[in-house]
Amino acid sequence: MNNSYSMQTNGQTNGSNESFKFVLEKRTDIQSPAASNQKQPSCCLGVSNVSYTVSERVGPWWDLPSYRKKWTRQILNDVSFHVDSGQIMGILGNSGSGKTTLLDSIAGRIGNTGTLIGEVFVNGRKVKQTLFQECFSYVLQSDNLLSYLTVEETLTFTAHLALRQHSASAIRKKVAAVMAELSLSHVANTVIGGRVFPGISGGERRRVSIASQLLQDPKVILLDEPTTGLDSMTANQIVVLLAELARRDRIVIVTIHQPRSELFRVFSRIAIMSCGELVFCGDPGEMVDFFSSCGFECPEYCNPFDIYVDLTSVDTRSSEREAATYRRMHDITSAYRRSEIYQRMTWKIRQSCQRANKPMIPFKSKESPSCMSKLAVLFRRTVRNLSRDRMGVIMRLSQNLIYGMFVAFFVMNLDNDVNKGAVQDRIGIIYQAMGASPYTGMLNAVALFPAMRAVADQESKDGLYQKWQMFLAYIVHIFPFSIISVFIFTSFLYWVVGMHPDPWRFMCFTAVIMVPHITGELLTLVLLGVVQDPNMVNSGMALLNIAGIMVGSGFLRGTQQMPVVFQWLSYLTFQKYGCELLIVTEFYGLNFTCNSSLGFPEGCLIKDGNIIIDQLYPGGPSRYTLDFFMLYAFLPALVLLGVISFKIRDRLVRR
Ligand SMILES: Nc1ncnc2c1ncn2[C@@H]1O[C@H](COP(=O)(O)OP(=O)(O)OP(=O)(O)O)[C@@H](O)[C@H]1O
């Protein structure tokens, strides 16, 4: 079997009418087991009998009888392969064949919903599942990058998070070297960009994601569909670049959809998956040989990738087709298992395990900085990224003010006459200020945080830091914005409508309003830790806030008239303490006038604000300091809750 195939191009290489045919020639690169024993690669990866099963409900939740039943589904079935350093392996297969699950299982990102069995060897040494993440770098299909950082800044921050023992100049050199290796030097100072403003191209973004992984010097790089969403020329360039990375003594494994035919010569190994099984895994020449021996010649001028993936896919459009294509897939898989290619592969895995002087497992560089240094780097990165978001900054600073303007122009001047709304308008303003401030905080979090969360999900899986550390770094940056934004809001509203003209009371008013605004943002972040969908968080927050102001304020129904359970619940709302403080701040010692001809003469019985305080919050002034303490206690409590929420997220997020 020393005959094999090489490829001849026919026509233009980049034109649409490109084509090629296979020509028989003598192979020299396929070594016998004895020969390959002489030349050992510096690193090798062996995956042996990996299977993954999940337990699933048989039916949907609205069909209770079937929902109660469970069945076991085999997602990966006895997958084995071997790759040496210097090689790039492409994993092909139709949609749902298990490519991503295979990468996830090797990358240690499979989650705990199913059962993973099998063994992974690096340099013949068995790697524990818990160490997969420290050994393999994983580039996800979607690029999670911060839009407002430049390419160089992105890589520099990542390097600071990953490499402690390197000096600043060493990190600069390292970043420059990685950028050069991935041909990114020309866009070093260009921002990544986002949906609403331009930045680097899709292919360059993909290369930045790969570069971030290279900073940790991984020996094995896994990439899930790195070419998806790119035009075919850029996709080819990415694969060629990955092949070059592999050639520099690394192992690169990449899942790919519909590679172009000229990539045939780029891959060192090709694996084809179908229904969770590895139907074939070998070098490109072997692949053509193998399928021909199974009776499936690749027609001239056809893309062998398309032909072989089609041949091994199961067509579920009708039961007859399904049975026939499944049989064909099964026959090919059986033939592969009996083939010399498969025997050689299993022999290589065994041989690497039995080697006398096995090299050590090459873990990624793991010189993480201390917790405080990581927090400092994350904080700097968050501030740098978000402070460049002009719309984000404007929104943060102005939305409270815009709302304040609306309320101020609606109320205009507060009167001191009880019959001209002196009490009602003041209570209305307090109700609105307390009720609306959490919403503006919530809007900020929902608009800005999910992008940061996606980055943290990825980087925490890379072992750079933990998700709760990013949460802490993010909330630190909230405070200055909140203080300025609330100060602008209260300065405008308080003085324009003419609330109590005591500067000290104005400061207290501002200090109280600060808390619901920050609490709104913090509570949203806490929920975003455990709920993936920001829209659900939006709705949840709106409901919580409505419930809080209803039960806590006592404006809709006096606290004394509420059922006991609500009276107790009111102590858990920040609105209770906030409203009480604002009522005391505004009404304490405030004298009213009364023009009895304008309204109810009984209204004139309300001569001063203390009567209102006694009605709404009896004993309120004596609890003034305690209320402040209780109100501000919500902030550290929510920070703690946030840390817990993001620790729970570690378990919830699979990839
Ligand atoms: N944890 C899980 N629970 C239930 N089903 C799962 C789980 N993980 C994967 N699957 C199922 O396994 C099959 C293989 O999924 P996978 O994402 O690996 O396919 P794929 O080949 O990467 O597909 P694509 O090319 O479309 O991304 C799919 O049908 C998927 O729904």
Side-chain angles (χ1 to χ4, degrees), residues 150-416:
T150 65
V151 170
E152 190 171 14
E153 285 168 343
T154 302
L155 296 176
T156 307
F157 278 120
T158 307
H160 276 291
L161 287 167
L163 312 166
R164 176 189 47 175
Q165 282 154 14
H166 292 57
S167 63
S169 71
I171 283 183
R172 260 198 308 278
K173 274 189 201 147
K174 177 109 192 155
V175 168
V178 168
M179 284 196 299
E181 190 169 16
L182 286 161
S183 311
L184 286 167
S185 306
H186 66 291
V187 287
N189 296 316
T190 310
V191 286
I192 300 291
R195 255 181 261 147
V196 285
F197 69 101
I200 56 174
S201 70
E204 285 160 349
R205 286 171 71 93
R206 204 55 50 91
R207 279 186 272 155
V208 174
S209 297
I210 300 167
S212 303
Q213 297 296 329
L214 286 190
L215 289 167
Q216 285 182 288
D217 293 322
K219 271 285 186 189
V220 183
I221 309 172
L222 314 170
L223 301 102
D224 188 21
E225 315 249 355
T227 57
T228 299
L230 302 177
D231 63 90
S232 100
M233 192 160 142
T234 314
N236 274 15
Q237 286 168 356
I238 292 280
V239 177
V240 170
L241 182 96
L242 292 172
E244 275 165 27
L245 292 182
R247 220 167 290 137
R248 288 174 209 140
D249 211 22
R250 298 182 183 107
I251 294 170
V252 174
I253 301 177
V254 46
T255 64
I256 191 160
H257 262 299
Q258 295 187 310
R260 266 164 59 159
S261 54
E262 66 245 45
L263 290 179
F264 195 75
R265 61 180 124 187
V266 175
F267 289 111
S268 343
R269 304 191 73 69
I270 295 171
I272 300 180
M273 292 202 67
S274 181
C275 300
E277 297 205 38
L278 206 55
V279 181
F280 173 83
C281 180
D283 70 41
E286 287 173 336
M287 182 167 81
V288 180
D289 217 357
F290 168 75
F291 278 93
S292 302
S293 70
C294 292
F296 303 107
E297 291 282 347
C298 177
E300 219 172 298
Y301 310 124
C302 283
N303 182 346
F305 294 126
D306 292 344
I307 298 293
Y308 298 141
V309 168
D310 283 355
L311 272 173
T312 54
S313 298
V314 176
D315 184 347
T316 52
R317 277 178 294 176
S318 70
S319 50
E320 292 80 30
R321 277 168 190 247
E322 187 170 348
T325 49
Y326 185 81
R327 212 168 25 250
R328 185 172 66 195
M329 185 276 283
H330 186 70
D331 290 346
I332 297 173
T333 311
S334 305
Y336 167 64
R337 296 265 174 144
R338 290 192 305 270
S339 73
E340 189 202 327
I341 307 165
Y342 184 79
Q343 305 306 327
R344 198 178 326 127
M345 183 272 297
T346 50
W347 176 84
K348 276 189 171 181
I349 297 177
R350 276 199 309 277
Q351 189 252 359
S352 70
C353 294
Q354 288 160 3
R355 224 157 112 180
N357 295 320
K358 291 179 211 158
M360 295 306 287
I361 297 173
F363 288 109
K364 294 191 282 183
S365 297
K366 209 177 160 230
E367 302 154 339
S368 272
S370 66
C371 179
M372 285 313 286
S373 316
K374 281 183 189 183
L375 281 174
V377 175
L378 288 171
F379 175 67
R380 283 208 313 275
R381 186 173 76 169
T382 306
V383 171
R384 174 106 34 116
N385 182 57
L386 293 179
S387 61
R388 288 182 186 162
D389 177 3
R390 201 171 41 197
M391 279 314 292
V393 172
I394 293 173
M395 180 185 88
R396 267 186 178 281
L397 295 180
S398 64
Q399 59 193 0
N400 276 324
L401 175 67
I402 293 168
Y403 179 71
M405 285 162 84
F406 182 73
V407 176
F409 291 128
F410 185 71
V411 177
M412 289 314 279
N413 265 332
L414 283 175
D415 210 296
N416 261 14

Side-chain angles (χ1 to χ4, degrees), residues 52-56 73-76 91-104 110-114 141 224-225 228 255-257 273-276 654-655:
Y52 182 62
T53 46
V54 291
S55 177
E56 274 185 340
R73 186 172 163 203
Q74 185 100 29
I75 311 283
L76 293 177
I91 304 179
L92 311 181
N94 62 333
S95 188
S97 56
K99 304 180 294 296
T100 303
T101 310
L102 177 58
L103 280 199
D104 284 350
I110 199 76
N112 42 16
T113 49
Q141 194 173 338
D224 188 21
E225 315 249 355
T228 299
T255 64
I256 191 160
H257 262 299
M273 292 202 67
S274 181
C275 300
R654 190 167 68 100
R655 305 186 75 203

Side-chain angles (χ1 to χ4, degrees), residues 59-79:
W61 62 268
W62 57 86
D63 180 8
L64 265 186
S66 62
Y67 183 70
R68 283 207 200 99
K69 291 182 200 142
K70 283 190 167 182
W71 68 310
T72 303
R73 186 172 163 203
Q74 185 100 29
I75 311 283
L76 293 177
N77 188 11
D78 202 15
V79 176

